[in-house]
Structure formats: structure tokens, C-alpha cells
Amino acid sequence: MNQKSVAIEMRDIRKTFGSVVANDGVCLDIYRGEILALLGENGSGKTTLMNMLSGIYFPDSGEIRINGEKAMIGSPKDAFSYGIGMIHQHFKLVDVLTAAENIALGLKEPGRLDIDAVAKKIKEICDTYGFDVDPYQKIYNMSVSQKQTVEIVKVLYRGADILILDEPTAVLTPQETDKLFAVLRNMRDAGKAIVIITHQMHEVEDLSDRVAVLRHGQYVGQMMTCETNAQEMTNMMVGRSVTLNIDRPEPVDPKPRIEVKGLTVRDAEGIVKLDDVSFTANSGEILGIAGISGCGQKELLEAIAGLQGCDTGSISYVNDDGSRKELIGMDPMAISSLGVNLSFVPEDRLGMGLVGNMDLTANMMLRFFREGHSVFANRKNPRALAERVVEELEVNTPSVSTPVRRLSGGNVQKVLVGREIASAPTVLLTAYAVRGLDINSSYTIYELVNRQKKAGVAVLYVGEDLDVLLELCDRILVLCGGKVSGIIDGRTATKRQIGAMMTRLGGEDANA
């Protein structure tokens, strides 16, 4: 490590947002020719720290040195002038433009309007590091992996030699992740300094050279990746010993609970999102749903929850006595009036699940307001529930009176999952329940989901981490292009098998 040159030195960095201390006296070195994994629980200050390097925030105090010289980074433009580029989870691309046009967008250099010249330079970058980008392809025709590649090439085109990637594999298949890692290793070997922010421990072990850990906004230490393991890293993040085992109890007397037959769904523009989908979800079972982002997972859960219109098909709720209730054409209120207790953790936490300007107690009331008989809402029970969720899920919040929008993404997710599970559902629909959660919080959610399974709940679990799907789920339904590519046994399936089914139709019997 001493033989590598220091690209960035961060000394005594402090950043606050009102009374919340995001970073407190952080000291961190970033080396060229190295991949550094920045680890920490939700709210530990990882993204805030990197946002100060990329010019989104400015530190309250402390010093940043780049190549030994004191740096003042007041904007993303300043960051680029120092050779720093950050690739965020949410891409900043214009869909109707080509890759080359997006990469040239905002540049001031001569020749920026010569798209053929831009395309030539893009090809040189791709050849150097192993990327595969068609400069003339429109963004709206690209996969998630291709869009991410354009974002990385965009910062390289601008001369970045220090790259920061925030949750880079969140929506990639295993095969796409392998390609990305190969490129990142090539960039490291060419002398680039690379920082990844991730909660995926197996990726940290596979890709990084060194790990640095933040806890409660403070730097607590570093270690060479080859000298540690996932358990030690997690213990260091949390500050105590944590169990990293996902239980998968055998289903007890599973019975059909939700039956979907021939379901076809179109979006507002008439594009088919689900095409003739059929499957059964059983009580006391976790049915995983895998697929590349945008392959119909969102529409499937929303259709079952009564939030999405359907063209054709049926969705039946099956009672214990075998009688059925058709849910197609019903909104959530009508489904509830049938006596169907269905809980939904949507992908859009603050758009569909919670109201950002309302506090934790008020957000609990949104789920339970129909239980009261008075026109005046009873805040006592929702407040008690909010306090219980905060305690049991370790939600990092000043109080239950804090507006939800002031919480970190991971803590918002804990509030939403806690509220939905508290309603004692018979069907639990979860879309990316642990997205953005640290490893300790994620295992808490896995335990909560397993508790629901043991209580006889039919759980539909949409997830992007295939390792977790294989450990947690009894069966896994794989979607590809809105069609069912197959339904396989979670105990015998492999990650490669699922990855292949996610990208091409065929394989297992879809009616298994």
C-alpha cells in the first residue's frame, strides 16, 4: 500500500445538516491503483463524505488535499477539474439522445459538436478499459447496464482518474456485474483510484483491495480486504458481533393463497409490461421474484394490490376453505372490504408508501385510520406503533415527531416495512425491501419476513440480490421481458441459472 501514490487526503472533515452530524472529524486516504470499499450502516455518512469530494456538498470544516495540494471543491465542475467523477445510483442521462450526445452534453471544449469525433474518442476509452458502448445508440433503447456504462465513460471522457461509484451493482445481473468488475479492475491496473459504496459484502470481498469503515459519521478504521472477511467487516460497521445467517424454515402446510392466471398489463403508453403471467403464491411460503429492472416486477405487485389496471387475466385470493375472491378491478379499499388483509411495501418509498412531510406517527395513521370510528384521528395507537418500529428496527431518528423526509433512505425503508408488517397481513408484497439498507438492517428485515412466513403469510419478495433470493426464498419466479421465464426451487437453483433466465426466455416449466 505504501508503494501506491496518494490521490486524495481528507483530514478532519465535518458536515452537519441542522442538528444532525453526518460526518465528524473523518480522516481518509484514497490511493491510485487501488479499489477502496467504503462501508458503514445507513446514516453512517458514506455518501455524504463522497458527495463532498464530488462537489455536491461543501464541508463545514476540515481539509481536502489532492495530489498533495489543498483543494477547494465547491461544485461538480470543480470536482472534474481535479479529476474526480462520481457515478450515482440514479443516472443523469437524457433518454432521447444518443450515448455520444449525452457524453458531449455540457462540455465547452472545441469540437464537442462533432459527434463523430466524440464517438471516436469514446471508442478509444472503451478499447482501453474493456467497455462495450455504441456511441450512436439512443439511451431509451439501452439496458440498465448499458446506461451505467455510459455514465462511467462520461466521467472518463471528462478526464476523471478518481472514480466514485455508489451502489454500482444494485440493478445488474450476475453476468453484468462480472463485466463491470472486470472493467473496474482494468481501470485500477491503469492507475485509477476507485471508491465503491456498497452493502454487498461478497462484492467487497471479490472486488476491493482495501476497506474503510464509518460508524455514526466517524471513521473507525481500515483493513486490507485479503486479511478480513464479511463477519469482521460487519462487526466493525455495527460495533458489536452480528449474526449473518438467513434462516429458511420449511413451509408448514402451504396452501394456495394468491392465484394469478393469464395476467396481461399495459402501462399508460400502451406498452405491454406483463404478458400472460401465471403462477400461484402459497401461504407459509416466500415466493421470490427475480428479473432485470423494469421487467414487470413493479406492475405485478401493484396489480395484486389493486393499484394497477389489467388488460386480461385473473387474480384470485383463495381462502382457507378453498373459496375464492376475484381481485381484478378492485382498488385497495375494496380489497380490504372483502376481508383480504394485504400489505404492500412499494418500490417508491416516499412517492407511494409514505408522505415525506408527515412525521412517523402520522405515517402510521395512514395505514390504520380506517380502524377508528371517530372523525378525529386517534394518534395514541399509531404513536405507540411508531415508537415500537423505531426501537425494534433501530430507526435512526431524533423522535417519532420527525418528518420522514429528514431520515436517510435506509431508515425510511425501515419505517415503511415496520408499518406494513404490523398490520398482521395474510399476503405481504415487498418490492426491494432491503434496497439501500446496510447489512445489519437487511438481516433484521429478512428475519421479519421469515416471521411472517412462519405465521402462515404468503410472501411475494421482489429482490435484486440473487444471493439473498437463493438463501431466503422457497421458490423463485423469474421474469424476462414481462413474461415468466420459469419458476425454480430456491434450494437447488444457482445464481448463474437465474441470471441466464433473466436475460432470455426458456428453461424451467413456468407452471412448476
Side-chain angles (χ1 to χ4, degrees):
M1 187 168 70
N2 293 332
Q3 295 176 348
K4 296 186 178 75
S5 63
V6 180
I8 295 177
E9 300 164 83
M10 305 184 81
R11 294 291 178 267
D12 300 317
I13 300 296
R14 181 177 174 84
K15 182 64 181 176
T16 60
F17 299 94
S19 61
V20 177
V21 180
N23 293 125
D24 186 10
V26 174
C27 296
L28 179 68
D29 289 338
I30 299 172
Y31 294 86
R32 298 188 187 283
E34 180 185 75
I35 298 176
L36 171 69
L38 188 59
L39 306 179
E41 292 188 276
N42 293 117
S44 63
K46 306 180 299 296
T47 301
T48 299
L49 188 67
M50 292 298 102
N51 278 340
M52 284 185 275
L53 280 185
S54 64
I56 295 174
Y57 298 141
F58 193 80
D60 298 340
S61 60
E63 182 177 274
I64 298 174
R65 290 184 172 272
I66 299 175
N67 300 325
E69 300 290 328
K70 185 174 180 179
M72 296 293 289
I73 307 174
S75 69
K77 184 179 177 182
D78 290 343
F80 273 123
S81 72
Y82 287 111
I84 301 171
M86 185 166 179
I87 294 89
H88 298 270
Q89 291 183 58
H90 304 291
F91 307 139
K92 296 170 173 59
L93 300 170
V94 181
D95 275 1
V96 296
L97 299 182
T98 65
E101 289 166 343
N102 268 279
I103 288 168
L105 200 64
L107 291 175
K108 298 285 191 275
E109 64 182 37
R112 68 187 183 280
L113 300 180
D114 184 348
I115 295 301
D116 288 337
V118 172
K120 183 179 178 182
K121 187 174 176 182
I122 291 171
K123 187 176 186 310
E124 291 172 358
I125 292 172
C126 291
D127 290 345
T128 300
Y129 300 111
F131 289 110
D132 183 16
V133 173
D134 177 358
Y136 301 104
Q137 185 176 357
K138 298 280 191 182
I139 299 298
Y140 61 72
N141 283 328
M142 291 185 177
S143 67
V144 174
S145 174
Q146 289 172 310
K147 291 176 184 177
Q148 183 185 64
T149 301
V150 172
E151 287 281 23
I152 297 174
V153 172
K154 186 167 72 173
V155 300
L156 291 173
Y157 191 99
R158 285 159 169 73
D161 60 5
I162 302 163
L163 283 87
I164 304 162
L165 296 95
D166 191 1
E167 298 286 350
T169 65
V171 290
L172 302 185
T173 66
Q175 288 83 351
E176 289 168 339
T177 297
D178 288 346
K179 287 182 182 178
L180 174 64
F181 284 6
V183 169
L184 293 178
R185 291 186 187 103
N186 290 339
M187 292 166 62
R188 173 199 62 192
D189 295 343
K192 304 285 187 188
I194 299 171
V195 181
I196 61 166
I197 301 172
T198 181
H199 295 304
Q200 308 296 331
M201 286 301 175
H202 59 280
E203 293 177 1
V204 173
E205 293 176 310
D206 185 30
L207 180 66
S208 69
D209 301 299
R210 180 169 58 104
V211 297
V213 180
L214 299 183
R215 190 192 312 143
H216 305 310
Q218 297 181 325
Y219 174 82
V220 295
Q222 65 171 7
M223 59 195 88
M224 301 307 293
T225 310
C226 62
E227 298 172 356
T228 186
N229 56 48
Q231 185 68 61
E232 287 184 356
M233 289 186 280
T234 304
N235 292 348
M236 193 170 179
M237 285 193 309
V238 179
R240 56 182 167 79
S241 182
V242 176
T243 302
L244 296 182
N245 292 319
I246 300 178
D247 290 330
R248 179 165 42 197
E250 289 292 331
V252 177
D253 191 25
K255 296 178 181 177
R257 182 65 74 207
I258 294 288
E259 284 191 356
V260 176
K261 292 184 179 179
L263 186 67
T264 299
V265 172
R266 297 177 187 268
D267 65 13
E269 297 172 356
I271 298 172
V272 175
K273 304 300 289 186
L274 292 171
D275 187 2
D276 194 27
V277 168
S278 300
F279 66 91
T280 299
N282 297 319
S283 62
E285 175 192 71
I286 300 176
L287 176 64
I289 301 175
I292 296 171
S293 179
C295 276
Q297 305 94 313
K298 173 176 176 286
E299 288 78 11
L300 177 57
L301 295 195
E302 288 182 4
I304 296 172
L307 298 167
Q308 170 74 56
C310 307
D311 276 21
T312 59
S314 69
I315 301 173
S316 300
Y317 178 86
V318 185
N319 292 301
D320 289 338
D321 61 6
S323 61
R324 296 165 182 271
K325 296 172 181 175
E326 179 59 46
L327 304 185
I328 290 283
M330 293 193 171
D331 62 19
M333 188 84 77
I335 291 173
S336 178
S337 68
L338 285 176
V340 176
N341 197 351
L342 188 150
S343 284
F344 182 30
V345 179
E347 180 179 2
D348 186 359
R349 300 168 186 173
L350 287 178
M352 184 180 290
L354 301 170
V355 178
N357 288 327
M358 292 168 58
D359 66 18
L360 275 68
T361 298
N363 271 288
M364 297 298 161
M365 289 171 63
L366 290 178
R367 187 69 171 80
F368 299 101
F369 75 96
R370 289 194 299 271
E371 294 178 5
H373 301 288
S374 169
V375 293
F376 299 102
N378 177 3
R379 292 178 64 91
K380 184 176 179 181
N381 291 340
R383 184 179 181 87
L385 175 58
E387 290 171 346
R388 182 156 60 89
V389 168
V390 166
E391 180 180 355
E392 291 184 4
L393 300 188
E394 299 178 350
V395 177
N396 188 4
T397 177
S399 76
V400 294
S401 300
T402 301
V404 166
R405 62 179 167 78
R406 293 188 185 171
L407 305 183
S408 71
N411 285 300
V412 169
Q413 186 72 341
K414 291 181 188 178
V415 171
L416 179 54
V417 172
R419 184 191 71 183
E420 292 302 306
I421 286 178
S423 69
T426 54
V427 178
L428 175 62
L429 312 173
T430 68
Y432 309 108
V434 299
R435 177 182 282 173
L437 290 185
D438 58 72
I439 189 166
N440 186 39
S441 300
S442 296
Y443 277 79
T444 300
I445 299 300
Y446 303 148
E447 172 58 25
L448 287 173
V449 169
N450 264 321
R451 273 192 231 161
Q452 298 302 298
K453 169 184 170 178
K454 291 175 185 176
V457 177
V459 180
L460 278 73
Y461 183 95
V462 174
E464 53 209 358
D465 187 330
L466 298 188
D467 290 290
V468 170
L469 285 172
L470 288 167
E471 285 188 67
L472 180 68
C473 301
D474 300 292
R475 292 182 300 139
I476 301 170
L477 179 150
V478 185
L479 289 173
C480 177
K483 291 178 177 288
V484 176
S485 185
I487 300 178
I488 51 182
D489 189 326
R491 291 166 176 77
T492 59
T494 67
K495 193 159 73 166
R496 298 278 161 195
Q497 180 186 10
I498 297 174
M501 293 170 69
M502 286 166 62
T503 52
R504 61 174 171 76
L505 287 172
E508 311 301 318
D509 179 9
N511 297 313

